[in-house]
């Protein structure tokens, strides 16, 4: 079995070799026939390119030698198609190599190159051909006129540009920035305000207001307290006078003032201006220690009318009831109108600052760089989209109001069993009633109790009380709070409006207050 397999493999190999040889011979025959033709001649498409050597062109480079055999078969040398000539010297074949040649025949380039050379020579001959004398003179004259025209146009353009520049300078002039000498500027922004704070801090106090609040959800009253600030503005033989905001002392049951040495004293409302949100608080000297009197100071009041937007501002107050703190900023704007929607408030004159003013700062001092009080911090706009907008009452506006309030008599709350009683029931005259029925603002007397001070004085149902002892009354709550400072038997002046023939007329009556039974 082994010998048969070997023999079989040999026969297969020989068969494959014979087949490959036959395939190669057939392929060679087909290729030869395609190139040389059946009769052994070249096809016509191989004879399209002819290359001829110009012996006169190559004569300068020739030397002794024999014939060069050249052909034009697609750039390859082929002796069968090149003419054989003899001559002296070496020639350069069409591939640029030195070769033996002495032919007198011309070496020609392809015909499509001859046309390009002829066109090139024609253009060069035209350019290099000498112009006639008349043509030359005319060309020079045209050139000279063109140059003169261009020069004239350039001169006109330059004159126009100079005129435009001059017109611009005449109509608009930009001035240079003047450098500020900081050493000579009292209003320069200061990074260190310690000297100002050290001077002004003894003038500022913290105020705590204990009042009765009402819980509408549980329908009950409870005791609460609020915090604010104040500025010491004067001292008499008996009292220390402090200016603050009215809303800081509003509806108080008890007031306490804390000084720079953290000592506290009870305080009393001396006078209020609701429409200006101002109040004067009094602390009796007998309620203060000598040490406290030695470490406090009276504030220096400045001139807010001379303020300029952008100058530094320093705020001191009892922020959030934590004690005195300092913030700095600038005067952001003047004469701001914040309380335009509140008919009880005078608006349109507030100072706006970006020095932080927070709850508890109300009534505190807004200072300039000299340590002078230029404003009484009053409020801020609180909203999550608002930053750095606080407001202060200008001190120049507050001065005459402060001086007037300081002239009022300081009243202390009377013990409840000794307090005076007027003897009326009343309600507030709401804004709608004022507009619809032309009723004056005040407390409408809805009932007068028999055998009381009001009954004895001749107060009638339907009267509207507008003043008691010179204090403006707009709500029943204000009337009741005011009576807490009067003892029974005190005589007060009451101003009221009484309707007569459909119109309200003003009347003033004296009332001797009685006891509440």
């Amino acid at each position: 079995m082994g010998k048969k397999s070997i023999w079989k493999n040999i026969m297969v190999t020989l068969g494959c070799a014979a087949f490959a040889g036959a395939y190669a011979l057939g392929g060679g025959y087909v290729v030869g026939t395609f190139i040389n033709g059946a009769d052994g001649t070249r096809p016509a498409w191989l004879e399209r390119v002819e290359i001829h050597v110009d012996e006169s062109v190559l004569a300068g480079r020739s030397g002794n030698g024999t014939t060069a055999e050249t052909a034009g078969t697609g750039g390859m040398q082929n002796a069968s198609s090149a003419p054989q000539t003899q001559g002296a010297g070496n020639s350069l074949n069409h591939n640029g190599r030195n070769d033996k040649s002495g032919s007198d025949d011309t070496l020609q380039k392809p015909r499509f190159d001859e046309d390009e050379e002829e066109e090139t020579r024609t253009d060069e001959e035209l350019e290099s051909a000498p112009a006639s004398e008349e043509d030359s003179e005319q060309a020079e004259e045209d050139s000279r006129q063109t140059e003169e025209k261009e020069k004239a146009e350039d001169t006109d353009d330059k004159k126009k540009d100079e005129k435009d520049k001059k017109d611009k300078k005449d109509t608009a002039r930009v001035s240079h920035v003047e450098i500020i000498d900081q050493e000579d500027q009292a209003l320069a922004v200061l990074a260190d305000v310690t000297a100002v704070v050290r001077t002004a801090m003894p003038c500022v106090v913290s105020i705590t207001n204990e009042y009765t609040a009402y819980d509408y959800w549980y329908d009950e009253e409870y005791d609460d307290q609020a915090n604010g600030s104040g500025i010491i503005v004067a001292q008499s033989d008996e009292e220390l006078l402090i200016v603050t905001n009215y809303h800081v002392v509003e509806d108080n049951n008890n007031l306490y003032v804390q000084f720079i040495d953290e000592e506290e004293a009870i305080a009393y409302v001396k006078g209020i201006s609701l429409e200006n949100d101002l109040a004067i608080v009094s602390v009796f000297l007998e309620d203060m220690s000598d040490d406290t009197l030695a470490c406090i100071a009276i504030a220096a009041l400045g001139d807010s009318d001379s303020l300029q937007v952008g100058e530094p501002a320093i705020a001191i107050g009892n922020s959030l009831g934590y004690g005195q703190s300092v913030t700095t900023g600038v005067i952001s704007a003047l004469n701001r109108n914040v309380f335009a929607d509140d008919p009880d408030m005078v608006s349109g004159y507030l100072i706006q600052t970006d020095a932080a003013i927070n709850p508890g700062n109300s009534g505190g001092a807004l200072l300039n760089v000299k340590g002078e009080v230029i404003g009484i911090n009053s409020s801020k706009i609180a909203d999550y989209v608002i930053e750095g907008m606080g407001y202060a009452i200008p001190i120049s506006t507050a001065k005459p109001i402060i001086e007037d309030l300081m002239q009022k008599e300081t009243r202390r709350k009377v013990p409840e069993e000794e307090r005076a009683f007027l003897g009326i029931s009343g309600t507030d005259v709401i804004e709608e009633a004022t507009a619809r029925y032309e009723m004056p603002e005040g407390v409408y007397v809805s009932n007068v109790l028999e055998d009381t001070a009001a009954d004895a004085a001749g107060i009638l149902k339907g009267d509207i009380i507008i003043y008691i002892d010179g204090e403006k009354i707009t709500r029943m709550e204000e009337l009741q709070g005011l009576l807490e400072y009067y003892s029974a038997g005190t005589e007060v002046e009451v101003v009221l409006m009484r309707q007569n023939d459909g119109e309200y007329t003003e009347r003033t009556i004296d009332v001797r207050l009685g006891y509440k039974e």
Side-chain angles (χ1 to χ4, degrees):
M1 293 295 293
K3 290 181 180 182
K4 289 182 179 181
S5 296
I6 293 172
W7 177 252
K8 183 179 180 180
N9 290 338
I10 291 172
M11 294 300 293
V12 170
T13 301
L14 292 175
C16 289
F19 179 79
Y23 185 81
L25 290 174
Y29 176 79
V30 172
V31 171
T33 303
F34 178 74
I35 295 177
N36 296 321
D39 56 354
T41 61
R42 285 182 179 274
W45 60 271
L46 288 177
E47 302 295 337
R48 284 188 299 179
V49 179
E50 299 177 357
I51 299 176
H52 302 279
V53 178
D54 188 352
E55 292 295 336
S56 62
V57 175
L58 300 178
R61 301 180 186 178
S62 61
N64 294 327
T66 58
T67 358
E69 297 175 353
T70 60
T73 58
M76 296 179 64
Q77 292 181 358
N78 195 322
S80 62
S81 61
Q84 298 181 2
T85 58
Q86 290 183 354
N90 296 328
S91 67
L92 186 68
N93 69 10
H94 67 280
N95 281 331
R97 293 191 299 268
N98 288 328
D99 199 356
K100 296 180 291 180
S101 178
S103 174
D104 292 333
D105 296 337
T106 59
L107 179 63
Q108 296 181 351
K109 293 184 177 180
R111 287 186 296 273
F112 52 81
D113 287 341
E114 290 178 2
D115 296 338
E116 292 180 0
E117 284 185 359
E118 196 170 319
E119 292 177 1
T120 304
R121 282 198 305 272
T122 303
D123 295 339
E124 291 176 353
E125 288 173 358
L126 290 174
E127 292 177 359
S128 60
S132 65
E133 185 176 348
E134 293 180 359
D135 293 341
S136 299
E137 291 177 358
Q138 183 64 33
E140 290 177 0
E141 180 65 22
D142 294 342
S143 178
R144 184 179 61 78
Q145 291 179 358
T146 303
E147 290 177 359
E148 290 178 356
K149 186 177 180 181
E150 291 177 352
K151 287 181 180 179
E153 291 177 353
D154 292 341
T155 303
D156 293 340
D157 291 340
K158 289 180 181 179
K159 288 181 179 180
K160 187 177 179 181
D161 293 340
E162 291 176 358
K163 186 176 182 301
D164 292 341
K165 291 179 181 179
K166 184 178 180 181
D167 292 341
K168 287 182 179 179
K169 290 181 180 178
D170 292 341
T171 56
R173 295 181 182 275
V174 179
S175 60
H176 291 282
V177 173
E178 295 182 3
I179 304 301
I180 298 175
D181 187 357
Q182 296 285 13
E183 295 180 356
D184 298 335
Q185 294 295 321
L187 300 181
V189 178
L190 301 178
D192 185 1
V193 295
T194 54
V196 177
V197 172
R198 189 166 50 248
T199 300
M201 190 73 83
C203 310
V204 183
V205 300
S206 300
I207 297 177
T208 300
N209 178 357
E210 292 183 350
Y211 65 99
T212 300
Y214 183 75
D215 191 332
Y216 290 92
W217 182 262
Y218 293 101
D219 190 23
E220 62 181 13
E221 294 181 344
Y222 62 96
D223 293 333
D224 202 352
Q225 67 178 29
N227 298 290
S229 306
I231 308 167
I232 301 172
V233 291
Q235 180 183 351
S236 67
D237 294 338
E238 297 179 350
E239 302 170 301
L240 190 70
L241 302 179
I242 300 166
V243 64
T244 186
N245 292 135
Y246 168 71
H247 72 264
V248 172
V249 300
E250 184 179 12
D251 299 331
N252 75 88
N253 296 326
N254 295 293
L255 283 180
Y256 297 95
V257 170
Q258 185 180 65
F259 300 97
I260 189 173
D261 62 351
E262 298 185 357
E263 291 295 321
E264 278 191 348
I266 191 169
Y268 306 93
V269 176
K270 190 176 184 70
I272 62 171
S273 176
L274 174 63
E275 60 273 15
N276 292 287
D277 194 24
L278 290 173
I280 292 291
V281 173
S282 170
V283 177
F284 287 97
L285 299 180
E286 62 186 29
D287 295 332
M288 300 173 61
S289 67
D290 293 339
D291 292 339
T292 299
L293 289 171
C295 67
I296 62 175
I298 297 173
L301 304 184
D303 181 13
S304 59
D305 291 339
S306 62
L307 289 176
Q308 299 180 43
V309 173
E311 71 173 88
I314 305 161
I316 302 179
N318 179 26
S319 297
L320 303 180
Y322 294 150
Q324 304 295 0
S325 63
V326 179
T327 56
T328 61
V330 297
I331 302 299
S332 302
L334 299 172
N335 301 320
R336 284 301 197 208
N337 190 355
V338 179
F339 303 112
D341 297 333
D342 190 345
D344 295 331
M345 299 294 295
V346 177
S347 58
Y349 66 94
L350 296 180
I351 300 169
Q352 180 183 330
T353 178
D354 67 340
I357 295 177
N358 296 293
N361 274 97
S362 295
L366 187 68
L367 308 165
N368 60 17
V369 293
K370 298 178 182 179
E372 298 173 331
V373 177
I374 55 175
I376 301 169
N377 298 328
S378 178
S379 60
K380 72 171 294 183
I381 296 179
D383 197 295
Y384 72 97
V385 297
I386 298 174
E387 184 68 28
M389 295 182 70
Y391 298 91
I393 301 170
I395 197 63
S396 296
T397 303
K399 273 182 183 179
I401 301 169
I402 293 171
E403 292 171 356
D404 181 61
L405 296 178
M406 287 192 298
Q407 304 304 317
K408 294 184 177 294
E409 180 183 358
T410 302
R411 295 188 298 269
R412 303 191 192 193
K413 282 189 176 182
V414 178
E416 190 171 357
E417 62 275 8
E418 299 179 5
R419 289 178 185 174
F421 181 67
L422 182 59
I424 67 165
S425 298
T427 59
D428 302 341
V429 178
I430 61 176
E431 184 178 354
E432 182 180 354
T434 302
R436 178 175 295 184
Y437 304 109
E438 297 182 355
M439 298 175 66
E441 186 179 27
V443 174
Y444 179 83
V445 179
S446 57
N447 189 27
V448 177
L449 302 178
E450 295 182 0
D451 299 328
T452 61
D455 186 28
I459 298 176
L460 303 177
K461 179 181 178 180
D463 289 345
I464 299 176
I465 299 174
I466 57 175
Y467 284 96
I468 292 181
D469 203 22
E471 296 290 338
K472 183 174 177 59
I473 303 298
T474 59
R475 295 177 297 172
M476 185 61 184
E477 186 179 3
E478 290 178 356
L479 188 150
Q480 292 173 334
L482 182 62
L483 293 177
E484 294 177 355
Y485 294 93
Y486 292 89
S487 301
T490 304
E491 188 174 292
V492 296
E493 185 180 79
V494 176
V495 179
L496 54 83
M497 303 294 291
R498 180 170 291 175
Q499 193 173 31
N500 186 16
D501 295 333
E503 294 183 357
Y504 282 93
T505 59
E506 183 178 311
R507 292 194 178 191
T508 302
I509 60 176
D510 293 330
V511 178
R512 184 174 294 276
L513 301 172
Y515 288 96
K516 182 179 181 180
E517 297 179 0

